[in-house]
Amino acid sequence: MALALGDFRGFIFWEATRELREACGIEITARDADPIKSIVSSLLLRAQSEIEPFVRVVVVRLQTQNDAFAKLVLEVNTQYPGDVGVLAAPFPMNLVTLSKGEAVYIGADDAHAYLSGDIIECMAASDNVVNAAFVPPEDRDSPYDPPLAEFTALHTSLDPHYNEEQLQPAPRPTTGIVLKGEVHITTAADKAGIYLKAGGVILVAAAQKFQLHVARGPTEIFWSTVIV
């Protein structure tokens, strides 16, 4: 799950395009149950020496156009020149835009590529991230698919007028990160507590009630915990 902290853009979910199918030389038939997989696999399995010339041709052609899609592809190529992701992201995927406080859920095995903006990303602890593009070829990964547990994300916003909050116990540990301000966190067992500034993180034990007090506000904190 990606929760936007401001204006955000990213490529999420698949959408096949005729142009990409033709460019890859792939013939999709009605019997093909997963045409997107065929298209993207064809791209990702090709050598970088094959990809770079094709990206150059696409970029040169789009430089003569002034529509939003052309600008998007050129922007991606500026960030990652000649990368396979220049083809594997803008063409077969949807561009998603979010404003602050909006979020998008990305299911298991769903490809995604973040383009710009800051987010809080929550995911189960695992090694299931597969870097297939926008990284050097030698750093690309092989798939790993462990079981995932459900989780939830919470947002706490405090200021001098509303300067404290009490969070109820969660059945599993809770992780928090301070994005703005400074907060004093205490528990019944630890009245002295801990002070955290922006960028600070904390792990709260399961079944533990804790209190938040503004030390220097306004203060924003994001939390992630398992609720099942």
Coordinates of all heavy atoms in Angstrom, one line a residue, residues 26-94:
I26 N 5.0 -9.3 -30.9 CA 4.2 -10.4 -30.3 C 2.8 -10.5 -30.8 O 2.1 -9.5 -30.9 CB 4.2 -10.2 -28.7 CG1 5.6 -10.1 -28.1 CG2 3.3 -11.2 -28.1 CD1 5.6 -9.7 -26.7
E27 N 2.5 -11.7 -31.2 CA 1.1 -11.9 -31.8 C 0.3 -12.4 -30.6 O 0.5 -13.5 -30.1 CB 1.1 -12.8 -32.9 CG -0.3 -13.1 -33.5 CD -0.2 -14.0 -34.7 OE1 0.9 -14.3 -35.2 OE2 -1.3 -14.4 -35.2
I28 N -0.7 -11.6 -30.2 CA -1.6 -12.1 -29.1 C -2.9 -12.7 -29.7 O -3.6 -12.0 -30.5 CB -2.0 -10.8 -28.2 CG1 -0.7 -10.2 -27.7 CG2 -2.9 -11.3 -27.1 CD1 0.2 -11.1 -26.8
T29 N -3.2 -13.9 -29.3 CA -4.4 -14.5 -29.8 C -5.4 -14.6 -28.7 O -5.2 -14.4 -27.5 CB -4.1 -16.0 -30.2 OG1 -3.7 -16.8 -29.1 CG2 -2.9 -15.9 -31.2
A30 N -6.7 -15.0 -29.0 CA -7.7 -15.1 -28.1 C -7.5 -16.1 -27.0 O -8.0 -16.2 -26.0 CB -9.1 -15.3 -28.8
R31 N -6.6 -17.1 -27.4 CA -6.3 -18.2 -26.5 C -5.3 -17.8 -25.4 O -5.0 -18.6 -24.5 CB -5.9 -19.4 -27.2 CG -6.9 -20.0 -28.1 CD -6.4 -21.2 -28.9 NE -5.3 -20.7 -29.9 CZ -4.6 -21.5 -30.7 NH1 -4.8 -22.8 -30.6 NH2 -3.7 -21.0 -31.5
D32 N -4.6 -16.7 -25.6 CA -3.6 -16.2 -24.7 C -4.3 -15.7 -23.4 O -4.9 -14.6 -23.5 CB -2.7 -15.2 -25.3 CG -1.4 -14.9 -24.5 OD1 -1.5 -15.1 -23.3 OD2 -0.4 -14.6 -25.2
A33 N -4.2 -16.4 -22.3 CA -4.9 -16.0 -21.1 C -4.2 -14.8 -20.4 O -4.9 -14.1 -19.6 CB -4.9 -17.2 -20.1
D34 N -3.0 -14.5 -20.7 CA -2.3 -13.5 -20.0 C -1.4 -12.7 -21.0 O -0.2 -12.9 -21.0 CB -1.4 -14.0 -18.9 CG -1.0 -13.0 -17.9 OD1 -1.2 -11.8 -18.2 OD2 -0.5 -13.3 -16.8
P35 N -2.0 -11.9 -21.9 CA -1.2 -11.3 -22.9 C -0.2 -10.3 -22.3 O 0.9 -10.1 -22.8 CB -2.2 -10.5 -23.8 CG -3.4 -10.4 -22.9 CD -3.4 -11.6 -22.0
I36 N -0.5 -9.6 -21.2 CA 0.4 -8.7 -20.6 C 1.7 -9.4 -20.2 O 2.8 -8.9 -20.4 CB -0.3 -8.0 -19.4 CG1 -1.4 -7.2 -19.8 CG2 0.8 -7.1 -18.6 CD1 -1.1 -6.0 -20.6
K37 N 1.5 -10.6 -19.6 CA 2.7 -11.3 -19.2 C 3.6 -11.6 -20.3 O 4.9 -11.5 -20.2 CB 2.3 -12.6 -18.5 CG 3.5 -13.4 -17.9 CD 3.0 -14.7 -17.2 CE 4.1 -15.5 -16.6 NZ 3.6 -16.7 -15.9
S38 N 3.0 -12.0 -21.5 CA 3.8 -12.3 -22.7 C 4.6 -11.1 -23.1 O 5.8 -11.1 -23.5 CB 2.9 -12.8 -23.8 OG 2.3 -14.0 -23.4
I39 N 3.9 -9.9 -23.1 CA 4.5 -8.7 -23.6 C 5.7 -8.3 -22.7 O 6.8 -8.0 -23.2 CB 3.5 -7.6 -23.7 CG1 2.4 -7.9 -24.7 CG2 4.1 -6.2 -24.0 CD1 1.2 -7.0 -24.7
V40 N 5.4 -8.2 -21.4 CA 6.4 -7.7 -20.5 C 7.6 -8.6 -20.3 O 8.7 -8.3 -20.3 CB 5.8 -7.3 -19.1 CG1 6.8 -6.9 -18.1 CG2 4.7 -6.2 -19.3
S41 N 7.2 -9.9 -20.3 CA 8.3 -10.9 -20.2 C 9.2 -10.8 -21.4 O 10.5 -11.0 -21.3 CB 7.7 -12.3 -20.1 OG 7.0 -12.5 -18.9
S42 N 8.6 -10.6 -22.6 CA 9.5 -10.5 -23.8 C 10.5 -9.3 -23.7 O 11.6 -9.4 -24.1 CB 8.6 -10.3 -25.0 OG 9.3 -10.0 -26.2
L43 N 10.0 -8.2 -23.1 CA 10.9 -7.1 -22.9 C 12.0 -7.4 -21.8 O 13.2 -7.1 -22.1 CB 10.1 -5.9 -22.4 CG 9.2 -5.2 -23.5 CD1 8.3 -4.1 -22.9 CD2 10.1 -4.5 -24.6
L44 N 11.6 -7.9 -20.7 CA 12.5 -8.0 -19.6 C 13.5 -9.1 -19.8 O 14.6 -9.1 -19.2 CB 11.7 -8.3 -18.3 CG 10.7 -7.3 -17.8 CD1 10.1 -7.7 -16.5 CD2 11.4 -5.9 -17.6
L45 N 13.2 -10.0 -20.7 CA 14.2 -11.1 -21.0 C 15.2 -10.8 -22.1 O 16.1 -11.5 -22.3 CB 13.4 -12.4 -21.3 CG 12.6 -13.0 -20.2 CD1 11.8 -14.2 -20.7 CD2 13.5 -13.5 -19.1
R46 N 15.0 -9.6 -22.7 CA 15.9 -9.2 -23.8 C 17.1 -8.6 -23.2 O 17.1 -7.9 -22.2 CB 15.2 -8.3 -24.7 CG 14.1 -8.9 -25.5 CD 13.5 -8.1 -26.6 NE 12.4 -8.7 -27.3 CZ 11.9 -8.3 -28.4 NH1 12.4 -7.2 -29.0 NH2 10.8 -8.9 -29.0
A47 N 18.3 -8.7 -23.9 CA 19.5 -8.2 -23.5 C 19.5 -6.6 -23.6 O 18.7 -6.1 -24.4 CB 20.7 -8.7 -24.3
Q48 N 20.2 -6.0 -22.7 CA 20.3 -4.5 -22.7 C 20.7 -4.0 -24.1 O 20.3 -2.9 -24.5 CB 21.2 -4.0 -21.6 CG 21.2 -2.5 -21.4 CD 19.9 -2.0 -20.9 OE1 19.1 -2.7 -20.4 NE2 19.7 -0.7 -21.1
S49 N 21.6 -4.7 -24.7 CA 22.1 -4.3 -26.0 C 21.0 -4.3 -27.1 O 21.0 -3.6 -28.1 CB 23.2 -5.3 -26.5 OG 22.7 -6.6 -26.6
E50 N 19.9 -5.1 -26.9 CA 18.7 -5.0 -27.8 C 17.8 -3.9 -27.4 O 17.1 -3.3 -28.2 CB 18.0 -6.4 -27.7 CG 18.7 -7.6 -28.2 CD 17.9 -8.8 -28.2 OE1 16.9 -8.9 -28.9 OE2 18.2 -9.7 -27.4
I51 N 17.7 -3.7 -26.1 CA 16.7 -2.7 -25.6 C 17.1 -1.3 -25.9 O 16.3 -0.4 -26.4 CB 16.5 -2.9 -24.0 CG1 15.8 -4.2 -23.7 CG2 15.7 -1.7 -23.5 CD1 14.4 -4.3 -24.2
E52 N 18.4 -0.9 -25.7 CA 18.8 0.5 -25.8 C 18.5 1.1 -27.2 O 18.0 2.2 -27.3 CB 20.3 0.6 -25.5 CG 20.5 0.5 -24.0 CD 22.0 0.7 -23.6 OE1 22.8 0.7 -24.6 OE2 22.3 0.8 -22.4
P53 N 18.8 0.3 -28.3 CA 18.6 0.9 -29.6 C 17.1 1.2 -29.8 O 16.7 2.2 -30.5 CB 19.1 -0.1 -30.6 CG 20.1 -0.9 -29.8 CD 19.6 -0.9 -28.4
F54 N 16.2 0.2 -29.4 CA 14.8 0.4 -29.5 C 14.3 1.6 -28.7 O 13.5 2.4 -29.2 CB 14.1 -0.9 -29.1 CG 12.6 -0.8 -29.3 CD1 12.1 -0.5 -30.6 CD2 11.7 -1.1 -28.3 CE1 10.7 -0.5 -30.8 CE2 10.4 -1.0 -28.5 CZ 9.9 -0.7 -29.7
V55 N 14.8 1.8 -27.5 CA 14.4 2.9 -26.7 C 14.8 4.2 -27.4 O 14.0 5.2 -27.4 CB 15.1 2.9 -25.3 CG1 14.8 4.2 -24.5 CG2 14.5 1.7 -24.5
R56 N 16.0 4.3 -28.0 CA 16.4 5.5 -28.7 C 15.4 5.8 -29.9 O 15.1 7.0 -30.1 CB 17.8 5.3 -29.3 CG 18.9 5.4 -28.2 CD 20.3 5.6 -28.9 NE 20.7 4.5 -29.7 CZ 21.4 3.5 -29.2 NH1 21.8 3.4 -27.9 NH2 21.8 2.5 -30.0
V57 N 15.0 4.8 -30.6 CA 14.1 5.0 -31.7 C 12.7 5.6 -31.2 O 12.2 6.5 -31.7 CB 13.8 3.7 -32.5 CG1 12.6 3.9 -33.5 CG2 15.1 3.2 -33.2
V58 N 12.3 5.0 -30.1 CA 11.0 5.5 -29.5 C 11.1 6.9 -29.0 O 10.3 7.8 -29.3 CB 10.6 4.6 -28.3 CG1 9.4 5.2 -27.6 CG2 10.2 3.2 -28.8
V59 N 12.3 7.2 -28.4 CA 12.5 8.6 -27.8 C 12.6 9.6 -29.0 O 12.0 10.7 -28.9 CB 13.8 8.6 -27.0 CG1 14.2 10.1 -26.7 CG2 13.6 7.8 -25.7
V60 N 13.3 9.3 -30.0 CA 13.4 10.2 -31.2 C 12.0 10.5 -31.8 O 11.7 11.6 -32.1 CB 14.4 9.6 -32.2 CG1 14.3 10.4 -33.5 CG2 15.8 9.6 -31.7
R61 N 11.2 9.4 -31.9 CA 9.9 9.6 -32.5 C 9.0 10.5 -31.6 O 8.3 11.4 -32.1 CB 9.2 8.2 -32.7 CG 7.8 8.3 -33.3 CD 7.3 7.0 -33.7 NE 7.3 6.0 -32.7 CZ 6.2 5.9 -31.9 NH1 5.2 6.7 -32.0 NH2 6.2 5.0 -30.9
L62 N 9.1 10.3 -30.3 CA 8.2 11.0 -29.4 C 8.7 12.4 -29.2 O 7.9 13.3 -28.7 CB 8.2 10.3 -28.0 CG 7.5 8.9 -28.0 CD1 7.4 8.3 -26.6 CD2 6.0 9.0 -28.5
Q63 N 9.9 12.7 -29.5 CA 10.4 14.1 -29.3 C 9.7 15.1 -30.3 O 9.7 16.3 -30.1 CB 11.9 14.2 -29.5 CG 12.7 13.6 -28.3 CD 14.2 13.6 -28.6 OE1 14.6 13.5 -29.7 NE2 15.0 13.6 -27.5
T64 N 9.1 14.5 -31.3 CA 8.4 15.3 -32.3 C 6.9 15.6 -31.9 O 6.2 16.3 -32.6 CB 8.4 14.7 -33.7 OG1 7.7 13.4 -33.6 CG2 9.8 14.4 -34.1
Q65 N 6.5 14.9 -30.8 CA 5.1 15.0 -30.3 C 5.1 15.9 -29.1 O 6.0 16.0 -28.3 CB 4.5 13.6 -30.1 CG 4.6 12.7 -31.3 CD 4.0 11.4 -31.1 OE1 3.2 11.2 -30.2 NE2 4.5 10.4 -31.8
N66 N 3.9 16.4 -28.8 CA 3.7 17.3 -27.6 C 2.6 16.9 -26.7 O 2.1 17.7 -25.9 CB 3.5 18.7 -28.2 CG 3.7 19.8 -27.1 OD1 4.6 19.6 -26.2 ND2 2.9 20.8 -27.0
D67 N 2.1 15.6 -26.8 CA 1.0 15.2 -26.0 C 1.6 14.7 -24.6 O 2.8 14.6 -24.4 CB 0.2 14.1 -26.6 CG 1.1 12.9 -27.0 OD1 1.2 12.0 -26.1 OD2 1.7 12.9 -28.1
A68 N 0.7 14.5 -23.7 CA 1.0 14.2 -22.3 C 1.8 12.8 -22.2 O 2.7 12.7 -21.4 CB -0.2 14.1 -21.4
F69 N 1.4 11.9 -23.1 CA 2.0 10.6 -23.0 C 3.5 10.7 -23.5 O 4.4 10.1 -22.9 CB 1.2 9.5 -23.8 CG 1.9 8.2 -23.8 CD1 1.7 7.4 -22.7 CD2 2.6 7.7 -24.9 CE1 2.3 6.1 -22.7 CE2 3.2 6.5 -24.9 CZ 3.0 5.7 -23.8
A70 N 3.7 11.4 -24.6 CA 5.0 11.6 -25.1 C 5.9 12.2 -24.0 O 7.1 11.8 -23.8 CB 5.0 12.4 -26.4
K71 N 5.4 13.2 -23.4 CA 6.2 13.9 -22.3 C 6.5 12.9 -21.2 O 7.6 13.0 -20.6 CB 5.4 15.1 -21.8 CG 5.3 16.2 -22.8 CD 4.5 17.4 -22.3 CE 4.4 18.5 -23.3 NZ 3.6 19.7 -22.7
L72 N 5.6 12.1 -20.9 CA 5.8 11.1 -19.8 C 6.9 10.1 -20.1 O 7.8 9.9 -19.3 CB 4.5 10.3 -19.5 CG 4.5 9.3 -18.4 CD1 4.8 9.9 -17.1 CD2 3.2 8.5 -18.4
V73 N 6.9 9.6 -21.3 CA 7.9 8.6 -21.7 C 9.3 9.3 -21.7 O 10.3 8.8 -21.3 CB 7.6 8.0 -23.1 CG1 8.8 7.1 -23.6 CG2 6.3 7.2 -23.1
L74 N 9.3 10.5 -22.2 CA 10.6 11.3 -22.3 C 11.1 11.6 -20.9 O 12.3 11.6 -20.6 CB 10.4 12.6 -23.1 CG 10.1 12.4 -24.6 CD1 9.9 13.8 -25.2 CD2 11.2 11.6 -25.3
E75 N 10.2 11.9 -20.0 CA 10.6 12.1 -18.6 C 11.2 10.9 -17.9 O 12.2 10.9 -17.3 CB 9.4 12.5 -17.7 CG 9.7 12.8 -16.3 CD 8.5 13.1 -15.4 OE1 7.4 13.3 -16.0 OE2 8.6 13.2 -14.2
V76 N 10.6 9.7 -18.2 CA 11.1 8.5 -17.6 C 12.5 8.2 -18.2 O 13.5 7.8 -17.5 CB 10.2 7.3 -17.9 CG1 10.8 6.0 -17.5 CG2 8.9 7.5 -17.2
N77 N 12.7 8.4 -19.5 CA 14.0 8.2 -20.2 C 15.0 9.1 -19.7 O 16.2 8.8 -19.6 CB 13.8 8.3 -21.7 CG 15.1 7.9 -22.4 OD1 15.5 6.8 -22.4 ND2 15.8 8.9 -23.0
T78 N 14.6 10.4 -19.3 CA 15.6 11.3 -18.7 C 16.1 10.8 -17.4 O 17.3 10.9 -17.1 CB 14.9 12.7 -18.5 OG1 14.5 13.2 -19.8 CG2 15.9 13.7 -17.9
Q79 N 15.2 10.1 -16.6 CA 15.7 9.6 -15.3 C 16.5 8.3 -15.5 O 17.4 8.1 -14.7 CB 14.4 9.3 -14.4 CG 13.7 10.6 -14.0 CD 12.5 10.3 -13.1 OE1 12.6 9.3 -12.3 NE2 11.5 11.1 -13.1
Y80 N 16.1 7.5 -16.4 CA 16.7 6.2 -16.6 C 17.0 6.0 -18.1 O 16.3 5.2 -18.8 CB 15.9 5.1 -16.1 CG 15.6 5.2 -14.6 CD1 14.4 5.8 -14.1 CD2 16.5 4.7 -13.6 CE1 14.2 6.0 -12.8 CE2 16.2 4.8 -12.3 CZ 15.1 5.4 -11.9 OH 14.8 5.6 -10.5
P81 N 18.0 6.7 -18.7 CA 18.2 6.6 -20.1 C 18.4 5.2 -20.6 O 19.3 4.4 -20.1 CB 19.5 7.4 -20.3 CG 19.5 8.3 -19.1 CD 19.0 7.5 -18.0
G82 N 17.7 4.8 -21.7 CA 17.9 3.5 -22.3 C 17.4 2.3 -21.5 O 17.6 1.2 -22.0
D83 N 16.8 2.5 -20.3 CA 16.4 1.4 -19.5 C 15.2 0.7 -20.0 O 14.3 1.3 -20.7 CB 16.1 1.9 -18.1 CG 15.9 0.8 -17.1 OD1 17.0 0.3 -16.5 OD2 14.8 0.3 -16.9
V84 N 15.1 -0.6 -19.8 CA 13.9 -1.4 -20.2 C 12.6 -0.8 -19.6 O 11.5 -1.0 -20.2 CB 14.1 -2.9 -19.9 CG1 14.1 -3.1 -18.4 CG2 13.0 -3.7 -20.6
G85 N 12.7 -0.2 -18.5 CA 11.5 0.4 -17.8 C 10.9 1.5 -18.6 O 9.7 1.8 -18.5
V86 N 11.7 2.1 -19.5 CA 11.1 3.2 -20.4 C 10.0 2.6 -21.3 O 9.1 3.3 -21.7 CB 12.2 3.8 -21.3 CG1 11.6 4.8 -22.2 CG2 13.3 4.4 -20.4
L87 N 10.1 1.3 -21.6 CA 9.1 0.6 -22.4 C 8.1 -0.2 -21.5 O 6.9 -0.2 -21.7 CB 9.8 -0.4 -23.4 CG 10.8 0.2 -24.3 CD1 11.5 -0.9 -25.1 CD2 10.3 1.3 -25.2
A88 N 8.7 -0.8 -20.4 CA 7.8 -1.7 -19.6 C 6.9 -1.0 -18.6 O 6.1 -1.6 -18.0 CB 8.8 -2.7 -18.9
A89 N 7.1 0.3 -18.4 CA 6.3 1.0 -17.5 C 5.2 1.9 -18.2 O 4.0 1.6 -18.0 CB 7.1 1.8 -16.5
P90 N 5.6 2.9 -19.0 CA 4.6 3.8 -19.5 C 3.6 3.2 -20.5 O 2.4 3.5 -20.5 CB 5.4 4.9 -20.2 CG 6.8 4.8 -19.7 CD 7.0 3.4 -19.3
F91 N 4.1 2.2 -21.3 CA 3.3 1.6 -22.4 C 2.2 0.6 -21.8 O 1.1 0.7 -22.2 CB 4.1 1.0 -23.4 CG 4.8 2.0 -24.3 CD1 6.1 2.4 -24.0 CD2 4.2 2.5 -25.4 CE1 6.8 3.4 -24.8 CE2 4.9 3.4 -26.2 CZ 6.1 3.9 -25.9
P92 N 2.6 -0.4 -21.0 CA 1.6 -1.4 -20.6 C 1.0 -1.1 -19.2 O 0.2 -1.9 -18.8 CB 2.5 -2.6 -20.5 CG 3.8 -2.2 -20.1 CD 4.0 -0.8 -20.7
M93 N 1.4 0.0 -18.5 CA 0.9 0.3 -17.2 C 0.1 1.6 -17.1 O 0.2 2.4 -18.0 CB 2.0 0.3 -16.2 CG 2.8 -1.0 -16.2 SD 4.2 -0.9 -14.9 CE 3.2 -1.1 -13.4
N94 N -0.7 1.7 -16.1 CA -1.5 2.9 -15.9 C -0.8 3.9 -15.0 O -0.1 3.5 -14.0 CB -2.8 2.6 -15.2 CG -3.8 1.8 -16.1 OD1 -4.1 2.3 -17.2 ND2 -4.3 0.7 -15.7

